[in-house]
Amino acid sequence: MERESWNNAEIRKISKSYIPLMVDLVKRTELARQYGVNAIPLLLIIDASGELVFSQVGYMNKDQVSVILKKIRFKYSLYAS
């Protein structure tokens, strides 16, 4: 996913609305436990208050990631207005 999805120019542009973070689960076991991480790859979208708003396990190509990021961004932009 890192090579195909996260390094894609379109995804990087969409991701400017987010703070992307890759977590080493070996080093950050408490964080993994906090969000119930038990499989990878895993995409979590967490709001500013730490609330989990989206979770999906499994490989996603750039098109799938793009749809998810745009949908969540649009949903939360409605609250910012």
Side-chain angles (χ1 to χ4, degrees), residues 10 27 29-30 33 37 45-46 48 53 58-60 64 79:
E10 178 189 2
K27 294 179 180 178
T29 56
E30 185 56 38
R33 211 173 292 121
V37 176
I45 299 178
I46 301 164
V53 296
Y59 176 84
M60 290 176 278
Q64 293 168 309
Y79 296 117

Side-chain angles (χ1 to χ4, degrees), residues 6 8-18 69 73:
W6 300 114
N8 176 274
E10 178 189 2
I11 299 300
R12 283 196 310 262
K13 183 177 179 181
I14 298 167
S15 294
K16 289 183 180 188
S17 299
Y18 297 88
L69 293 178
R73 180 179 65 183

